[in-house]
Amino acid sequence: RYYSTSVKTDAKILMKTLLLTGGSSGIGLTTVQLFAQKGWRVFELSRSGKTTAAITHIDCDVTDDMSVQHAVDQVMHLTDHLDVVISNAGFGISGPIEFTSIEEAKKQFDVNFFGAFRLAQSVLPIMRQQGYGRIIFTSSVAADLSIPYQSFYSASKSAINALALALANEVRSFGIRVSVLMPGDVATGFTDAREKNIEGANIYKGLHSAVEAMEKDERSGMTTAFIARTFYRIATAKYPKPIYVGGMIYKVFCLLNRLLPKRLVNWIVGKLYS
């Protein structure tokens, strides 16, 4: 059950609604702007966003259970339904596994994975009650092709894929659809915001060159507008797929990952970042 952008029901206008986390900049900001331009009512949840004429900002820290639930409650005070929820909040760390602290690894998962989990738990009762809804998780091609020295970011995104596939089967009977978007390299402030751990660089000689290669690819990557349009296609698809890959070349990479021996694929990835 999906409403058109605006339809008359019982003498009132019901607009499609979008709730998105991590919309203060980058992919998230471009996405909420696009949905607003398409006539949706948009709620942007983050720690530093701003309310505009077309977008309602609500403060939210996805690492805090109460903050996420309170933000969703605020949204539901302002609307009576949720059509699409996009879990987009995230960040990256880099460094050798041997020299990454447990605290750093937990922080990576707390934002990227558990932040998505908290959001899903908060909106699922709403979607179950209304009998429809769509949840879209932002993952990464790194979920399929694990990147050296970005191991915990890759692992957190791989965990999101597993969570989303299981959730899709759990909630299908309630009219809820679940999808994942795995973008490739995208030019955003995400690159500069990465938390870099250079401990062990004197031992792991490839650390600096690997991170530099990765960041070069990101800075020359796809536009946020392209990814935003992909989110919109997923949100409005009649029969959404469980997993989407953002960018044609990355679709080829992911296909080869499934067709070629894993040892060969992993060797190629290692050579790309060496």
Side-chain angles (χ1 to χ4, degrees):
R1 178 186 174 191
Y2 270 80
Y3 296 106
S4 60
T5 299
S6 62
V7 292
K8 278 194 174 181
T9 304
D10 296 331
K12 71 175 182 179
I13 299 289
L14 268 176
M15 297 176 66
K16 278 189 174 182
T17 58
L18 168 71
L19 182 161
L20 178 144
T21 60
S24 60
S25 62
I27 291 172
L29 178 58
T30 306
T31 300
V32 292
Q33 290 172 338
L34 174 64
F35 275 74
Q37 291 166 8
K38 296 288 188 179
W40 289 51
R41 186 168 190 189
V42 175
F43 299 95
E44 181 274 316
L45 279 56
S46 67
R47 294 179 300 172
S48 59
K50 297 183 183 301
T51 292
T52 67
I55 299 165
T56 301
H57 164 75
I58 295 174
D59 288 337
C60 180
D61 179 354
V62 297
T63 67
D64 184 292
D65 296 3
M66 294 301 295
S67 178
V68 174
Q69 187 60 61
H70 180 63
V72 172
D73 290 344
Q74 285 183 270
V75 170
M76 297 313 296
H77 280 302
L78 299 172
T79 185
D80 60 0
H81 65 287
L82 281 177
D83 291 284
V84 175
V85 170
I86 299 179
S87 174
N88 180 68
F91 84 110
I93 65 173
S94 63
I97 293 172
E98 181 181 350
F99 292 97
T100 299
S101 69
I102 293 295
E103 290 70 26
E104 289 172 315
K106 285 182 176 179
K107 180 181 177 183
Q108 179 75 102
F109 268 79
D110 202 15
V111 175
N112 290 7
F113 177 76
F114 287 105
F117 170 46
R118 290 182 183 97
L119 180 66
Q121 276 201 323
S122 295
V123 302
L124 281 170
I126 299 163
M127 291 184 169
R128 274 196 300 104
Q129 184 175 13
Q130 65 189 20
Y132 66 93
R134 228 165 256 201
I135 300 174
I136 308 171
F137 296 95
T138 304
S139 181
S140 170
V141 169
D144 264 10
L145 302 168
S146 193
I147 302 173
Y149 305 111
Q150 204 176 0
S151 53
F152 292 98
Y153 177 80
S154 301
S156 70
K157 294 302 186 179
S158 182
I160 283 178
N161 285 16
L163 178 79
L165 290 172
L167 181 62
N169 283 328
E170 291 179 7
V171 301
R172 184 176 292 110
S173 64
F174 303 119
I176 304 169
R177 299 295 176 258
V178 180
S179 297
V180 165
L181 173 58
M182 303 195 308
D185 295 312
V186 184
T188 70
F190 179 93
T191 303
D192 292 329
R194 178 177 286 110
E195 296 185 5
K196 299 178 186 176
N197 175 11
I198 61 172
E199 187 179 357
N202 60 320
I203 299 172
Y204 290 90
K205 305 297 185 181
L207 170 59
H208 289 307
S209 60
V211 174
E212 287 172 0
M214 176 176 59
E215 294 191 339
K216 180 181 178 181
D217 290 342
E218 289 171 348
R219 295 184 197 283
S220 59
M222 298 174 288
T223 66
T224 57
F226 175 82
I227 301 301
R229 290 194 297 271
T230 306
F231 270 127
Y232 189 77
R233 287 197 296 273
I234 300 170
T236 56
K238 187 173 183 180
Y239 301 108
K241 297 184 294 184
I243 294 183
Y244 292 80
V245 179
M248 182 55 68
I249 187 63
Y250 302 101
K251 291 179 182 179
V252 173
F253 290 161
C254 289
L255 177 61
L256 291 176
N257 180 49
R258 286 160 174 75
L259 297 177
L260 297 176
K262 183 59 70 175
R263 177 185 294 180
L264 174 60
V265 172
N266 203 44
W267 178 83
I268 293 171
V269 171
K271 297 299 287 184
L272 288 173
Y273 295 102
S274 62

